[in-house]
Amino acid sequence: MNVLVTGGAGYIGAHTCVALLEAGHTVIVADNLCNSKVESINKVQQITNKDLTFYEIDTTDEKAVDTIFSNHEIDGVIHFAGLKAVGESVENPLAYYYNNLVGTMVLIKACQKYGVNRFVFSSSATVYGDNRVPFVETMDLLPTTNPYGETKAMSERILTDIANANPVFSVSILRYFNPVGAHESGLIGEAPNGIPNNLMPYVTQVAKGKLEKLRVFGNDYPTVDGTGVRDYIHVLDLAEGHVAALENLTEGVHVYNLGTGKGTSVLELVKAFEGANDIEVPYEIANRRPGDIASCYADASKAKRELGWTAKHDLISMCRDAWQFEKNYKE
Ligand code: NAD
Ligand code: UDP
C-alpha cells in the first residue's frame, strides 16, 4: 500500500515508518518538524535501507495536503501529527484545538476528495479518564483533565460521525497506553525538547547525569507501592500495531487499545531500569502531579482477537532500548 504517514518524523511515527517499510509498504511522510528533526527521516531510511518520500508541510494547510494527495495514489493514512504536551495544552488551548482538530479534518476532507478510505488515528488512553482498570474499549469515556485529551476524544467523535455517515470510510482508532523504548539500533528514539514530562525520558536523563534526580509524583496512591501505575509499551510493538491495524482494516469504525495489559508502578520501573542497565537512578518522593490518576492499564484482548496483534517486548527490553538511545543521543 501507499501510506501517508503524518507526523512520521516524530517518535512513534518514525518507528512506524520503519515497520511499514519492512512490511513492504511505500511511505510518504508529511511533517512540519515542529517537534522533530529531518534526521529521523534519514535514520529510518538508514535502518531499512529503503527510501521514503518526505514533505515538510503542516497538516492544517489544505493546499499543501491536497498537493500530496494529487501527487500520490494514496491507499491509506496513518495520522500521528499532533501536539502532545499536556501542560502546554492547558496554557495554550487554542494551539492544541486548532492544530489537532483542524489537521485531522483537513486530512479527512482530502481523503473524501481523493477516495481514500483507510484511516488510522493516534488516540490515547487518556480518553478513558479516571475509569476502572483495566480499560476496555466498550467503556463510557470520562472527561479528560486537559485540552490535549479533549482533542483526542473530539477527534475520535469526528471520525466516528464521518464513518457512520459514509460507510466505505474505514477508521481504526488506536488508544495508546504509555509508549517507551527505542529502535534497537539506537538510531531513533524519544528526544523531547527541554525537560521531559514523561517518566522514561526523565529516568534516562537522570541516568545520564543530565538531570540530578527523579521526582516520584506521589507515593500514597491505592497501588502496589503507592506510586502511579501505567501500562508501558515498547514503541516497536506499538509500530507493529499500526501495520496490523492498517492491513486488517474493514469498513466502519474500530477502536483498539494498544497496551500490554500489565501495570507497572513508578518504583517498579525505576528498579527494572537500574537492573537492566546496571546503573543507578537517584530519586525522591514528591507531591502528586495535578491531573494524574492512580492506575491506567489496558485490556488488550480485542487487538489480539481481531488484529492478531500482541505486545512482545517486556519491561527490561523497554528499559534497555530507551537507555541505549539516550546514551548515544547528541543534541
Ligand atoms: P511527536 O511529537 O514525537 O510526533 C508528532 C509529530 O507530528 C512531530 O514530528 C511533529 O513535528 C509533527 N506535527 C505536529 N503537528 C503537526 C502539523 N500540524 N503538521 C505536520 N506535522 C505536525 O509525538 P509522538 O509521541 O510520536 O506522538 C504521535 C501521536 O501519538 C500524537 O498524535 C500523540 O498525541 C499520540 N500519542 C502519543 C503518546 C505518547 O506518550 N508519546 C501517547 C498517546 C498518544
Ligand atoms: N512520573 C513521575 N515523575 C516524573 C514523570 C512521571 O513520578 O518525572 C509518574 C507519573 O506521576 C505517572 C507515571 O510516572 O504515575 C507516568 O507518567 P507519564 O507522564 O510518563 O505518563 P502519563 O501520566 O501521561 O500516563
Side-chain angles (χ1 to χ4, degrees):
M1 274 187 248
N2 290 335
V3 188
L4 172 62
V5 182
T6 73
Y11 172 47
I12 306 169
H15 289 85
T16 302
C17 288
V18 169
L20 287 165
L21 290 166
E22 284 175 346
H25 298 291
T26 300
V27 173
I28 301 119
V29 169
D31 198 304
N32 65 2
L33 303 179
C34 70
N35 197 36
S36 54
K37 299 196 179 106
V38 73
E39 283 87 81
S40 62
I41 298 291
N42 304 333
K43 301 269 171 62
V44 167
Q45 298 183 122
Q46 189 183 332
I47 290 168
T48 57
N49 209 13
K50 291 187 176 162
D51 288 336
L52 59 75
T53 308
F54 174 58
Y55 289 89
E56 187 178 339
I57 63 118
D58 198 299
T59 48
T60 63
D61 180 342
E62 251 187 279
K63 249 177 100 179
V65 168
D66 194 277
T67 304
I68 299 180
F69 278 78
S70 69
N71 286 354
H72 302 269
E73 283 228 350
I74 290 167
D75 299 301
V77 175
I78 305 185
H79 180 35
F80 292 103
L83 300 175
K84 63 161 186 177
V86 171
E88 191 181 68
S89 80
V90 175
E91 283 156 27
N92 192 355
L94 180 60
Y96 274 69
Y97 286 117
Y98 188 83
N99 191 71
N100 293 3
L101 298 180
V102 174
T104 302
M105 288 187 281
V106 164
L107 282 161
I108 300 170
K109 244 176 113 176
C111 284
Q112 293 200 330
K113 178 172 168 192
Y114 289 90
V116 177
N117 289 319
R118 289 192 189 87
F119 199 98
V120 176
F121 177 66
S122 294
S123 191
S124 165
T126 194
V127 298
Y128 288 108
D130 199 359
N131 249 307
R132 268 187 57 185
V133 283
F135 296 166
V136 190
E137 290 88 343
T138 47
M139 277 177 161
D140 284 337
L141 302 183
L142 296 178
T144 65
T145 53
N146 56 77
Y148 164 72
E150 288 307 300
T151 69
K152 293 298 177 194
M154 287 180 193
S155 296
E156 287 199 4
R157 176 63 197 265
I158 291 168
L159 284 160
T160 303
D161 287 346
I162 289 167
N164 286 340
N166 175 17
V168 293
F169 191 56
S170 311
V171 178
S172 191
I173 290 171
L174 304 181
R175 294 181 180 153
Y176 313 155
F177 283 69
N178 288 58
V180 295
H183 191 264
E184 59 266 9
S185 64
L187 289 173
I188 50 173
E190 190 174 13
N193 292 328
I195 297 179
N197 294 308
N198 295 117
L199 180 63
M200 185 65 97
Y202 207 103
V203 165
T204 60
Q205 293 194 18
V206 170
K208 203 177 187 180
K210 246 172 103 177
L211 296 168
E212 193 197 335
K213 58 181 145 179
L214 172 70
R215 292 169 64 231
V216 175
F217 296 141
N219 67 347
D220 57 352
Y221 285 108
T223 61
V224 57
D225 55 20
T227 66
V229 164
R230 298 290 183 272
D231 185 341
Y232 298 96
I233 172 167
H234 200 299
V235 67
L236 292 176
D237 283 324
L238 201 57
E240 291 300 337
H242 288 76
V243 178
L246 184 74
E247 291 180 347
N248 291 288
L249 197 50
T250 54
E251 283 177 10
V253 183
H254 310 274
V255 182
Y256 297 104
N257 284 341
L258 295 185
T260 64
K262 192 174 172 309
T264 301
S265 76
V266 176
L267 292 181
E268 286 170 341
L269 185 139
V270 170
K271 287 268 158 323
F273 187 92
E274 291 183 326
N277 299 310
D278 197 18
I279 193 160
E280 219 188 310
V281 179
Y283 68 84
E284 64 181 15
I285 304 297
N287 289 335
R288 288 183 179 194
R289 183 171 62 178
D292 272 359
I293 59 174
S295 292
C296 166
Y297 54 90
D299 175 330
S301 57
K302 185 179 176 197
K304 182 173 184 187
R305 215 169 42 244
E306 295 190 7
L307 303 176
W309 172 90
T310 53
K312 297 195 175 61
H313 295 78
D314 62 10
L315 189 62
I316 297 298
S317 71
M318 299 181 214
C319 292
R320 213 179 35 228
D321 293 340
W323 176 231
Q324 157 91 352
F325 175 72
E326 181 64 42
K327 251 189 334 192
N328 297 332
Y329 183 71
K330 294 187 185 57
E331 304 284 326

